[in-house]
Amino acid sequence: MTDNLRDALTGLLVGRGAFALVDAAVNSCNPEVESLCNRLGISCCILPSPPSKNLESAAKVWTFLSDNGATRSSVLVNIGGGSVTDLGGFCAATFKRGIDYVNCPTTLLAAVDASLGGKTGIDFNGLKNEVGAFRIPVATIISPGLLASLPFGQILSGMGEVIKTGFIHSSEMARDALERVKALSEVPGRIVEMGDMIRRTADVKLSIVDADPLEKGLRKVLNFGHTAGHAFESLSMERSGEQGAASHGHAVAQGLLVALVISHVRLGLDSIWLDRLASTLRTHFPPIIYTCDDYPHLLSIMSHDKKNPSPDSIRFTLLESPGEPVTDFEVSSEEIRTALDITRDYLHI
Amino acid sequence: MTDNLRDALTGLLVGRGAFALVDAAVNSCNPEVESLCNRLGISCCILPSPPSKNLESAAKVWTFLSDNGATRSSVLVNIGGGSVTDLGGFCAATFKRGIDYVNCPTTLLAAVDASLGGKTGIDFNGLKNEVGAFRIPVATIISPGLLASLPFGQILSGMGEVIKTGFIHSSEMARDALERVKALSEVPGRIVEMGDMIRRTADVKLSIVDADPLEKGLRKVLNFGHTAGHAFESLSMERSGEQGAASHGHAVAQGLLVALVISHVRLGLDSIWLDRLASTLRTHFPPIIYTCDDYPHLLSIMSHDKKNPSPDSIRFTLLESPGEPVTDFEVSSEEIRTALDITRDYLHI
């Protein structure tokens, strides 16, 4: 966490060839980013905004690195949201079989989640992160000033992951996260004063990743809300295209409610948490609409989740109570359908 | 090393979804391979021969895995030469951020080199293995019977790497490798009786890889002959297209001579080794023709080598004597030009 991006970058890049990927929208809101890169001698590749994390973009980044003479000791600096850090991380992980990279997240979602922990990837064959690699960034530099101009929708998306992290950590953190949504809905710019929340959320993630970098076990707790969340995200993308779709964190927030419903039914999670989350979602998060006609398709997407050992088995991370997650919980199609019904009732959709 | 591919595979794949990539030429020479896959319930993707290890092929393999429901616990079995094991290894390393894979090499080159050690990759932007990953196969199953139908040219290619390994290991192994070329030129089919040579060569490589899986230091000895070898290979490919170009091991064999010449000049390597290698090359390996007009281009390709810390510096692995390699030896353009001259004299080109 720093207010001085220049000093933080200078220390990391000294004596190494450096290259940067920059989201065009970040570049136009923060002209100091490109001039900083110029002063530090970093070659910039400006990615059209919003950046697509697909194979075509990856080919463009590899070509940029190759044409500009990047070597195995070069560093790639990813300046943008989760799409940029996922794409850039994957390209760094695979360029000449792997070079170092640094993330400078410019969205709340990236700052508290995507830019941390080394899960990189691109979407492929209609599936999220179907192709990717595990490679931990050498540093993630969070500069809250870069978040000042974020629209409320993007802050909400980040809050989806903040709420998730709260639920897997403790009741107190879950409650705090839900309250922050209210405060931010009144004055979105207050996000720059919430360095404490960003750091705490990032720290929870990093401590989990440190204990399980390759997602063999513990790390699956971070998947809380994501099994249904990814399905909502894909559905929304198919309906509205990449531009109009619900954001990742927004879809995760709705996916959290599905996971809480199943947790209540199967593990006795106190229903007060369902009421609290549903109330926040109804007030602040526009719902991702689905009907029972969508269930077969939503279940099919869930069955493709990378954490499933076979396509016939759908596994959720659930909660006994906030701070007490349970991973690899096998849930039947029937139970998921019921949870999707109950979620619609809660959200009045 | 096994004569029973079926038993070896069955043991590895039990209870896991398995998928295979098979070179079409291997499949038509060895119809038992496809029927074995069918019996073991392995879905096969037959790659057009010779397989191209490029981004388009990688996309095809990822699509094959994704469409057929491969999960993170699936295994990919690569049955073919180095192109198949490099391509399949890369796709396995990146599909859903990494799944296990097994190599079943069907060329001598793959058996003694490409299929071992976890360096995977595809060619990109005109450069060999520009995009790739380090991921060790869970097993490499060498079945000498699969090598029986190899044409002499392909055996020669493998012998390039066998000779290289001989030189970095010991005088005795270097001399033995050169003698085997002569024996094989008389009866290529004798390769199936040379399991001892294949195993010894593979063991030398594996012991080096074990000590340095990510090519931080020691492993660079395996690059002996490859700095100039890769340049010859690229030149030949540009001239003759992928089909008519000199094979990898063939280009490495010629690159070894360049490295021996520099080793003689800079480190006092006994010139008897230059004579011995040159004599073997002149008799058995058709030369890859180049003139002094090609020097700027050859040097430019060498400067792109992944082992160079910067594009201005060209580093070779050299030999003080067989078994005494020296890595990261910086060599000037002038010295490389001189060595290319002397190499042409030795080869009468």
Side-chain angles (χ1 to χ4, degrees):
Chain A
M1 190 90 62
T2 180
D3 288 330
N4 191 330
L5 189 59
R6 179 184 182 164
D7 286 358
L9 274 178
T10 307
L12 283 164
L13 305 181
V14 62
R16 310 176 72 174
F19 299 85
L21 301 187
V22 188
D23 180 329
V26 172
N27 197 48
S28 58
C29 292
N30 302 275
E32 72 277 14
V33 167
E34 195 168 357
S35 70
L36 171 63
C37 289
N38 289 338
R39 281 204 306 282
L40 295 177
I42 303 175
S43 309
C44 278
C45 173
I46 308 288
L47 299 170
S49 193
S52 304
K53 36 177 273 202
N54 56 25
L55 193 55
E56 198 184 339
S57 301
K60 187 176 160 183
V61 176
W62 287 321
T63 304
F64 161 70
L65 293 169
S66 183
D67 283 350
N68 286 282
T71 72
R72 261 201 201 164
S73 56
S74 299
V75 186
L76 181 65
V77 182
N78 303 315
I79 304 174
S83 297
V84 174
T85 60
D86 279 7
L87 169 70
F90 174 63
C91 290
T94 50
F95 182 71
K96 293 185 190 283
R97 299 200 185 95
I99 65 172
D100 283 348
Y101 73 103
V102 172
N103 284 335
C104 301
T106 61
T107 65
L108 178 61
L109 182 71
V112 298
D113 186 41
S115 73
L116 304 165
K119 282 172 78 166
T120 73
I122 55 174
D123 302 335
F124 185 80
N125 205 30
L127 294 165
K128 305 283 298 170
N129 300 316
E130 184 75 340
V131 169
F134 287 99
R135 191 176 182 93
I136 306 271
V138 291
T140 293
I141 303 171
I142 301 172
S143 183
L146 286 177
L147 309 181
S149 56
L150 287 178
F152 182 57
Q154 285 212 27
I155 291 176
L156 265 188
S157 177
M159 290 308 294
E161 291 289 349
V162 174
I163 296 168
K164 175 206 79 175
T165 308
F167 271 111
I168 60 179
H169 185 268
S170 62
S171 300
E172 180 249 328
M173 227 174 126
R175 203 178 300 117
D176 180 66
L178 294 171
E179 279 162 14
R180 301 267 190 162
V181 173
K182 188 165 179 295
L184 287 164
S185 73
E186 288 156 10
V187 189
R190 286 186 60 194
I191 189 66
V192 297
E193 300 156 24
M194 294 193 183
D196 63 324
M197 174 189 79
I198 297 173
R199 175 180 280 275
R200 200 168 48 187
T201 306
D203 284 348
V204 170
K205 170 150 187 182
L206 287 176
S207 66
I208 292 168
V209 168
D210 274 355
D212 176 23
L214 299 182
E215 200 166 37
K216 299 289 184 195
L218 175 65
R219 185 167 181 164
K220 292 178 189 169
V221 301
L222 295 170
N223 196 41
F224 186 55
H226 281 60
T227 308
H230 276 154
F232 291 138
E233 192 177 2
S234 296
L235 186 75
S236 170
M237 201 170 292
E238 287 158 19
R239 294 239 169 100
S240 317
E242 209 161 317
Q243 310 305 321
S247 69
H248 174 72
H250 188 143
V252 166
Q254 187 160 316
L256 285 174
L257 187 55
V258 179
L260 289 187
V261 169
I262 302 174
S263 299
H264 172 65
V265 174
R266 296 295 304 276
L267 297 172
L269 172 76
D270 190 334
S271 65
I272 184 92
W273 293 107
L274 283 66
D275 298 331
R276 284 178 180 152
L277 176 63
S279 158
T280 300
L281 293 184
R282 279 197 309 270
T283 313
H284 302 292
F285 287 75
I288 301 167
I289 305 290
Y290 63 94
T291 69
C292 44
D293 292 342
D294 299 313
Y295 290 5
H297 186 47
L298 289 168
L299 284 161
S300 151
I301 303 170
M302 291 182 211
S303 76
H304 267 286
D305 191 283
K306 282 184 280 300
K307 276 71 116 195
N308 289 324
S310 92
D312 306 324
S313 140
I314 300 182
R315 295 186 177 195
F316 277 70
T317 295
L318 298 178
L319 282 191
E320 290 184 5
S321 62
E324 298 291 340
V326 178
T327 61
D328 285 326
F329 201 98
E330 198 155 334
V331 181
S332 72
S333 304
E334 211 37 53
E335 289 168 313
I336 298 171
R337 286 166 182 273
T338 305
L340 289 169
D341 284 340
I342 298 173
T343 300
R344 282 164 62 209
D345 287 345
Y346 266 113
L347 297 180
H348 307 167
I349 60 178
Chain B
M1 189 90 63
T2 180
D3 287 329
N4 191 330
L5 188 59
R6 181 187 181 162
D7 285 0
L9 275 178
T10 307
L12 283 164
L13 306 181
V14 62
R16 309 175 72 172
F19 299 85
L21 301 185
V22 188
D23 180 330
V26 170
N27 196 49
S28 57
C29 293
N30 302 276
E32 72 276 14
V33 167
E34 196 169 357
S35 68
L36 171 63
C37 288
N38 289 339
R39 279 204 307 281
L40 295 176
I42 303 175
S43 309
C44 278
C45 173
I46 308 288
L47 299 170
S49 192
S52 304
K53 36 178 276 200
N54 56 26
L55 193 56
E56 197 184 342
S57 301
K60 186 176 161 183
V61 176
W62 286 321
T63 305
F64 160 70
L65 292 169
S66 181
D67 284 349
N68 286 282
T71 72
R72 260 199 200 166
S73 56
S74 299
V75 186
L76 182 65
V77 182
N78 303 315
I79 305 175
S83 298
V84 175
T85 60
D86 279 7
L87 168 70
F90 174 63
C91 291
T94 50
F95 182 71
K96 293 185 191 280
R97 300 199 186 97
I99 64 172
D100 283 348
Y101 73 103
V102 172
N103 285 334
C104 301
T106 61
T107 65
L108 179 59
L109 182 72
V112 298
D113 187 42
S115 72
L116 304 164
K119 283 173 75 167
T120 73
I122 55 174
D123 303 335
F124 185 80
N125 205 28
L127 295 164
K128 306 282 299 171
N129 299 317
E130 185 75 340
V131 170
F134 287 97
R135 190 175 182 94
I136 305 272
V138 290
T140 293
I141 303 171
I142 301 173
S143 182
L146 286 176
L147 310 180
S149 56
L150 288 178
F152 182 56
Q154 286 213 25
I155 290 178
L156 265 187
S157 177
M159 290 308 295
E161 292 288 349
V162 174
I163 297 168
K164 175 206 79 176
T165 308
F167 271 111
I168 59 180
H169 185 266
S170 63
S171 300
E172 181 247 329
M173 228 174 124
R175 203 178 299 118
D176 180 65
L178 295 171
E179 279 162 15
R180 302 265 191 163
V181 174
K182 188 165 177 295
L184 287 163
S185 73
E186 287 156 9
V187 188
R190 287 185 59 193
I191 191 65
V192 296
E193 299 156 26
M194 294 192 182
D196 62 324
M197 175 190 79
I198 296 173
R199 174 179 281 274
R200 199 168 48 189
T201 306
D203 283 349
V204 170
K205 170 149 187 183
L206 287 175
S207 67
I208 292 168
V209 169
D210 274 355
D212 177 23
L214 299 183
E215 200 166 37
K216 298 288 184 198
L218 175 65
R219 185 166 180 164
K220 293 179 189 170
V221 301
L222 295 171
N223 197 39
F224 186 54
H226 282 61
T227 309
H230 276 155
F232 291 139
E233 191 178 0
S234 296
L235 185 75
S236 171
M237 202 169 294
E238 286 159 19
R239 294 239 170 101
S240 316
E242 210 161 314
Q243 310 305 321
S247 69
H248 173 72
H250 188 143
V252 165
Q254 187 160 314
L256 285 174
L257 188 55
V258 178
L260 289 187
V261 168
I262 302 173
S263 299
H264 172 65
V265 173
R266 295 295 304 276
L267 297 173
L269 173 75
D270 191 334
S271 65
I272 184 90
W273 291 107
L274 284 67
D275 297 332
R276 283 179 179 149
L277 176 63
S279 160
T280 299
L281 293 184
R282 280 197 308 271
T283 313
H284 302 293
F285 288 74
I288 300 167
I289 306 291
Y290 63 94
T291 70
C292 44
D293 292 341
D294 299 315
Y295 289 6
H297 186 48
L298 289 169
L299 284 161
S300 150
I301 302 170
M302 291 183 212
S303 75
H304 266 286
D305 191 283
K306 281 184 282 296
K307 277 71 120 196
N308 291 322
S310 92
D312 307 324
S313 139
I314 300 182
R315 295 186 176 195
F316 276 71
T317 295
L318 298 179
L319 282 191
E320 291 184 2
S321 62
E324 298 291 341
V326 179
T327 61
D328 284 327
F329 201 99
E330 196 154 337
V331 181
S332 72
S333 303
E334 210 39 53
E335 289 168 312
I336 297 171
R337 286 167 182 274
T338 305
L340 289 169
D341 284 339
I342 299 173
T343 300
R344 282 164 61 211
D345 287 345
Y346 266 112
L347 296 180
H348 306 167
I349 59 176

